[in-house]
Amino acid sequence: QECVQLVMQCYVQSMIDCVETVLMSEGTIDDPLDDEGSLKEQMDRLPTIGRFDYASLATFILNIFDPIMRQYEEAVQHAGTQQYTPTMIQRFNLLEGKLTWLVYICSSLVSGYSWSETSSNDGEEAIDASLCSRMFQLAQGIDFRLSSTGGQGKCSPRLELAIAYFFQIFRRMYMWENHSMGVTTLTTILMTGALPKRTEYGGGS
């Protein structure tokens, strides 16, 4: 079990670290996010291993995600409506690259939920809710950045695709029509805080 945890943590961290490596290479290293076949294969396999010790892995991921999300929020607030400088663009590219990997990884893990009493009793719904709430928070931040800059602050296409992937997974897993378990689970997620909320971007409700 400890070996599986270590493998998963190393995988997540290596994907986050590769973002800066790719950016620093100035095009000499291919971005693994652009390899759709490899990316799909990774995301398809991830839930099988990743949910083996789901609670520990989710904690590890959120400990990475939350600081990066705070940095992204600060960068958005700092940028405001001013003209983006090369330094600011580089900063956003780095943060959005890391967030893109995290969105794919979280979405993939959520897609591995098993509709069984055991999964519910193990608290996996609550873990999914925790991950989903961050995805909603990020989506709201991206939308705010775009609208507050008159379209200038558009996020990277890769991050847009990752967010679209998340919503596809979320709808498939938690918004099934005519499926009582889907409705119950959706209610659980919403009650535990996965609904998008007003963040610090706009300063109050």
Side-chain angles (χ1 to χ4, degrees):
Q1 184 170 337
E2 290 181 2
C3 181
V4 174
Q5 290 180 25
L6 182 59
V7 168
M8 287 305 306
Q9 290 176 7
C10 287
Y11 169 76
V12 174
Q13 192 63 59
S14 64
M15 294 302 98
I16 299 301
D17 293 342
C18 82
V19 174
E20 187 169 9
T21 302
V22 171
L23 289 175
M24 293 283 288
S25 76
E26 297 183 343
T28 60
I29 298 177
D30 292 336
D31 193 330
L33 286 169
D34 292 334
D35 188 340
E36 295 181 8
S38 175
L39 182 62
K40 183 181 185 304
E41 184 177 357
Q42 292 176 59
M43 295 306 107
D44 287 346
R45 293 181 177 181
L46 196 57
T48 303
I49 305 175
R51 294 188 76 111
F52 182 74
D53 187 5
Y54 195 24
S56 296
L57 179 59
T59 298
F60 178 80
I61 290 173
L62 292 180
N63 284 339
I64 296 175
F65 181 91
D66 288 345
I68 295 175
M69 187 64 209
R70 283 194 295 270
Q71 292 174 45
Y72 188 69
E73 291 174 342
E74 291 168 1
V76 170
Q77 292 175 348
H78 175 72
T81 57
Q82 63 182 300
Q83 186 70 31
Y84 279 32
T85 65
T87 300
M88 291 166 62
I89 293 173
Q90 185 178 30
R91 178 67 169 162
F92 275 113
N93 287 341
L94 178 61
L95 292 172
E96 289 185 348
K98 293 179 177 181
L99 288 169
T100 299
W101 273 113
L102 289 167
V103 171
Y104 273 120
I105 290 170
C106 289
S107 302
S108 173
L109 291 172
V110 168
S111 76
Y113 183 80
S114 172
W115 298 105
S116 70
E117 186 177 352
T118 302
S119 294
S120 299
N121 291 339
D122 286 345
E124 291 193 359
E125 284 179 298
I127 298 173
D128 280 357
S130 231
L131 297 179
C132 289
S133 67
R134 265 64 169 200
M135 302 303 102
F136 280 118
Q137 179 188 4
L138 174 57
Q140 187 179 40
I142 291 171
D143 181 66
F144 175 84
R145 179 186 172 203
L146 181 64
S147 61
S148 66
T149 58
Q152 177 183 333
K154 186 178 176 64
C155 76
S156 73
R158 295 186 186 96
L159 183 53
E160 284 185 330
L161 287 173
I163 290 292
Y165 175 72
F166 162 71
F167 280 116
Q168 181 183 36
I169 295 294
F170 183 80
R171 182 172 62 180
R172 188 179 78 217
M173 297 303 297
Y174 292 109
M175 301 182 73
W176 293 2
E177 293 182 3
N178 302 319
H179 195 295
S180 59
M181 179 62 79
V183 173
T184 301
T185 307
L186 177 60
T187 302
T188 301
I189 288 178
L190 299 183
M191 290 179 64
T192 51
L195 271 174
K197 301 180 181 129
R198 287 295 297 272
T199 66
E200 297 177 358
Y201 296 115
S205 56

